[in-house]
PDB file of all heavy atoms in Angstrom:
ATOM      1  N   ALA A  47      20.766  41.876 -25.912  1.00 47.00           N
ATOM      2  CA  ALA A  47      21.546  41.755 -24.681  1.00 47.00           C
ATOM      3  C   ALA A  47      22.908  41.123 -24.929  1.00 47.00           C
ATOM      4  O   ALA A  47      23.845  41.341 -24.172  1.00 47.00           O
ATOM      5  CB  ALA A  47      20.774  40.927 -23.655  1.00 47.00           C
ATOM      6  N   VAL A  48      23.027  40.331 -26.006  1.00 49.00           N
ATOM      7  CA  VAL A  48      24.293  39.648 -26.257  1.00 49.00           C
ATOM      8  C   VAL A  48      25.045  40.256 -27.435  1.00 49.00           C
ATOM      9  O   VAL A  48      26.041  39.718 -27.877  1.00 49.00           O
ATOM     10  CB  VAL A  48      24.049  38.148 -26.532  1.00 49.00           C
ATOM     11  CG1 VAL A  48      23.484  37.469 -25.311  1.00 49.00           C
ATOM     12  CG2 VAL A  48      23.135  37.963 -27.732  1.00 49.00           C
ATOM     13  N   LYS A  49      24.559  41.366 -27.982  1.00 55.00           N
ATOM     14  CA  LYS A  49      25.226  42.002 -29.107  1.00 55.00           C
ATOM     15  C   LYS A  49      26.536  42.633 -28.653  1.00 55.00           C
ATOM     16  O   LYS A  49      26.573  43.356 -27.665  1.00 55.00           O
ATOM     17  CB  LYS A  49      24.316  43.060 -29.727  1.00 55.00           C
ATOM     18  CG  LYS A  49      24.911  43.703 -30.971  1.00 55.00           C
ATOM     19  CD  LYS A  49      23.928  44.690 -31.572  1.00 55.00           C
ATOM     20  CE  LYS A  49      24.523  45.326 -32.825  1.00 55.00           C
ATOM     21  NZ  LYS A  49      23.590  46.303 -33.419  1.00 55.00           N
ATOM     22  N   ILE A  50      27.615  42.337 -29.394  1.00 56.00           N
ATOM     23  CA  ILE A  50      28.943  42.841 -29.040  1.00 56.00           C
ATOM     24  C   ILE A  50      29.443  43.728 -30.174  1.00 56.00           C
ATOM     25  O   ILE A  50      29.534  43.289 -31.318  1.00 56.00           O
ATOM     26  CB  ILE A  50      29.933  41.688 -28.804  1.00 56.00           C
ATOM     27  CG1 ILE A  50      29.426  40.794 -27.656  1.00 56.00           C
ATOM     28  CG2 ILE A  50      31.325  42.228 -28.503  1.00 56.00           C
ATOM     29  CD1 ILE A  50      30.292  39.577 -27.424  1.00 56.00           C
ATOM     30  N   ASN A  51      29.715  44.956 -29.854  1.00 64.00           N
ATOM     31  CA  ASN A  51      30.244  45.872 -30.860  1.00 64.00           C
ATOM     32  C   ASN A  51      31.750  45.692 -30.973  1.00 64.00           C
ATOM     33  O   ASN A  51      32.459  45.712 -29.964  1.00 64.00           O
ATOM     34  CB  ASN A  51      29.934  47.322 -30.479  1.00 64.00           C
ATOM     35  CG  ASN A  51      28.443  47.603 -30.519  1.00 64.00           C
ATOM     36  OD1 ASN A  51      27.736  47.089 -31.386  1.00 64.00           O
ATOM     37  ND2 ASN A  51      27.956  48.410 -29.576  1.00 64.00           N
ATOM     38  N   PRO A  52      32.273  45.496 -32.211  1.00 61.00           N
ATOM     39  CA  PRO A  52      33.724  45.327 -32.369  1.00 61.00           C
ATOM     40  C   PRO A  52      34.459  46.615 -32.032  1.00 61.00           C
ATOM     41  O   PRO A  52      33.928  47.711 -32.225  1.00 61.00           O
ATOM     42  CB  PRO A  52      33.873  44.976 -33.857  1.00 61.00           C
ATOM     43  CG  PRO A  52      32.669  45.578 -34.499  1.00 61.00           C
ATOM     44  CD  PRO A  52      31.560  45.471 -33.489  1.00 61.00           C
ATOM     45  N   PRO A  53      35.670  46.500 -31.522  1.00 62.00           N
ATOM     46  CA  PRO A  53      36.437  47.708 -31.202  1.00 62.00           C
ATOM     47  C   PRO A  53      36.806  48.458 -32.471  1.00 62.00           C
ATOM     48  O   PRO A  53      36.949  47.857 -33.536  1.00 62.00           O
ATOM     49  CB  PRO A  53      37.688  47.148 -30.507  1.00 62.00           C
ATOM     50  CG  PRO A  53      37.822  45.761 -31.048  1.00 62.00           C
ATOM     51  CD  PRO A  53      36.417  45.276 -31.252  1.00 62.00           C
ATOM     52  N   PRO A  54      36.914  49.772 -32.401  1.00 60.00           N
ATOM     53  CA  PRO A  54      37.291  50.540 -33.595  1.00 60.00           C
ATOM     54  C   PRO A  54      38.683  50.152 -34.056  1.00 60.00           C
ATOM     55  O   PRO A  54      39.547  49.822 -33.248  1.00 60.00           O
ATOM     56  CB  PRO A  54      37.254  51.994 -33.094  1.00 60.00           C
ATOM     57  CG  PRO A  54      37.447  51.893 -31.612  1.00 60.00           C
ATOM     58  CD  PRO A  54      36.779  50.616 -31.206  1.00 60.00           C
ATOM     59  N   PRO A  55      38.914  50.122 -35.395  1.00 56.00           N
ATOM     60  CA  PRO A  55      40.246  49.749 -35.901  1.00 56.00           C
ATOM     61  C   PRO A  55      41.298  50.761 -35.487  1.00 56.00           C
ATOM     62  O   PRO A  55      41.034  51.958 -35.399  1.00 56.00           O
ATOM     63  CB  PRO A  55      40.050  49.740 -37.424  1.00 56.00           C
ATOM     64  CG  PRO A  55      38.895  50.661 -37.655  1.00 56.00           C
ATOM     65  CD  PRO A  55      37.995  50.496 -36.466  1.00 56.00           C
ATOM     66  N   ARG A  56      42.471  50.239 -35.253  1.00 54.00           N
ATOM     67  CA  ARG A  56      43.582  51.098 -34.877  1.00 54.00           C
ATOM     68  C   ARG A  56      44.503  51.286 -36.073  1.00 54.00           C
ATOM     69  O   ARG A  56      44.925  50.321 -36.697  1.00 54.00           O
ATOM     70  CB  ARG A  56      44.367  50.488 -33.717  1.00 54.00           C
ATOM     71  CG  ARG A  56      43.547  50.399 -32.422  1.00 54.00           C
ATOM     72  CD  ARG A  56      44.385  49.833 -31.293  1.00 54.00           C
ATOM     73  NE  ARG A  56      43.637  49.774 -30.042  1.00 54.00           N
ATOM     74  CZ  ARG A  56      44.151  49.326 -28.901  1.00 54.00           C
ATOM     75  NH1 ARG A  56      45.398  48.892 -28.862  1.00 54.00           N
ATOM     76  NH2 ARG A  56      43.407  49.304 -27.804  1.00 54.00           N
ATOM     77  N   VAL A  57      44.801  52.502 -36.411  1.00 44.00           N
ATOM     78  CA  VAL A  57      45.680  52.824 -37.529  1.00 44.00           C
ATOM     79  C   VAL A  57      46.991  53.348 -36.973  1.00 44.00           C
ATOM     80  O   VAL A  57      47.015  54.335 -36.242  1.00 44.00           O
ATOM     81  CB  VAL A  57      45.044  53.879 -38.460  1.00 44.00           C
ATOM     82  CG1 VAL A  57      45.993  54.210 -39.602  1.00 44.00           C
ATOM     83  CG2 VAL A  57      43.716  53.369 -38.993  1.00 44.00           C
ATOM     84  N   LYS A  58      48.048  52.661 -37.324  1.00 47.00           N
ATOM     85  CA  LYS A  58      49.366  53.070 -36.861  1.00 47.00           C
ATOM     86  C   LYS A  58      49.973  54.052 -37.846  1.00 47.00           C
ATOM     87  O   LYS A  58      50.133  53.755 -39.022  1.00 47.00           O
ATOM     88  CB  LYS A  58      50.279  51.851 -36.714  1.00 47.00           C
ATOM     89  CG  LYS A  58      51.654  52.187 -36.154  1.00 47.00           C
ATOM     90  CD  LYS A  58      52.490  50.935 -35.999  1.00 47.00           C
ATOM     91  CE  LYS A  58      53.863  51.262 -35.435  1.00 47.00           C
ATOM     92  NZ  LYS A  58      54.699  50.045 -35.287  1.00 47.00           N
ATOM     93  N   ALA A  59      50.293  55.219 -37.397  1.00 43.00           N
ATOM     94  CA  ALA A  59      50.866  56.236 -38.265  1.00 43.00           C
ATOM     95  C   ALA A  59      52.302  55.884 -38.610  1.00 43.00           C
ATOM     96  O   ALA A  59      53.086  55.490 -37.750  1.00 43.00           O
ATOM     97  CB  ALA A  59      50.814  57.599 -37.575  1.00 43.00           C
ATOM     98  N   LEU A  60      52.619  55.984 -39.898  1.00 41.00           N
ATOM     99  CA  LEU A  60      53.984  55.721 -40.328  1.00 41.00           C
ATOM    100  C   LEU A  60      54.886  56.925 -40.097  1.00 41.00           C
ATOM    101  O   LEU A  60      56.083  56.792 -39.918  1.00 41.00           O
ATOM    102  CB  LEU A  60      53.991  55.348 -41.813  1.00 41.00           C
ATOM    103  CG  LEU A  60      53.245  54.068 -42.176  1.00 41.00           C
ATOM    104  CD1 LEU A  60      53.298  53.856 -43.688  1.00 41.00           C
ATOM    105  CD2 LEU A  60      53.851  52.868 -41.464  1.00 41.00           C
ATOM    106  N   TYR A  61      54.287  58.110 -40.134  1.00 38.00           N
ATOM    107  CA  TYR A  61      55.078  59.317 -39.931  1.00 38.00           C
ATOM    108  C   TYR A  61      54.203  60.340 -39.227  1.00 38.00           C
ATOM    109  O   TYR A  61      53.184  60.759 -39.753  1.00 38.00           O
ATOM    110  CB  TYR A  61      55.569  59.864 -41.270  1.00 38.00           C
ATOM    111  CG  TYR A  61      56.441  61.093 -41.112  1.00 38.00           C
ATOM    112  CD1 TYR A  61      57.746  60.964 -40.657  1.00 38.00           C
ATOM    113  CD2 TYR A  61      55.949  62.353 -41.399  1.00 38.00           C
ATOM    114  CE1 TYR A  61      58.552  62.076 -40.502  1.00 38.00           C
ATOM    115  CE2 TYR A  61      56.752  63.470 -41.243  1.00 38.00           C
ATOM    116  CZ  TYR A  61      58.051  63.331 -40.796  1.00 38.00           C
ATOM    117  OH  TYR A  61      58.847  64.430 -40.639  1.00 38.00           O
TER     118      TYR A  61
END
Side-chain angles (χ1 to χ4, degrees):
V48 295
K49 184 177 180 181
I50 300 176
N51 294 323
R56 295 182 178 181
V57 179
K58 183 178 180 180
L60 297 178
Y61 182 75

